[in-house]
Amino acid sequence: RREVGMRVRIVAFARARDLFGRGECELEVASGATIATVRGALVERAPRLGELGASLRLARNGSVAGEGEPLCEGDEVALLPPVSGG
């Protein structure tokens, strides 16, 4: 029996986009997945994302999200690398 899943939209910006290899995609995760689940799945898919470590922030539907925040079908998860500038 296949575990019920949900799809979330991934969008990556700047250095995260370069390391991920694309600007956006859809990702299927298990029901009950969290931001941490998505981070793990993305690093597994694109190991170079791990280079950003804890400085890579993830946002859910436009707001920076904690690792334990649960996701819902159709959510947008943005990969936000550290920004430098002045």
Side-chain angles (χ1 to χ4, degrees):
R1 185 174 149 178
R2 188 173 183 272
E3 185 175 338
V4 176
M6 60 183 173
R7 294 182 83 70
V8 295
R9 182 172 176 251
I10 306 298
V11 291
F13 297 97
R15 180 89 174 118
R17 180 181 56 235
D18 296 341
L19 295 173
F20 188 51
R22 63 180 72 184
E24 60 183 76
C25 72
E26 280 196 347
L27 180 69
E28 186 169 341
V29 293
S31 293
T34 63
I35 289 291
T37 306
V38 168
R39 180 188 297 272
L42 293 174
V43 170
E44 186 174 300
R45 181 181 275 195
R48 292 188 61 212
L49 275 175
E51 294 174 18
L52 296 175
S55 66
L56 177 65
R57 303 299 305 253
L58 277 67
R60 175 182 173 245
N61 299 329
S63 298
V64 174
E67 293 292 306
E69 188 165 331
L71 298 169
C72 297
E73 174 74 31
D75 278 350
E76 179 180 273
V77 177
L79 310 181
L80 307 172
V83 179
S84 61

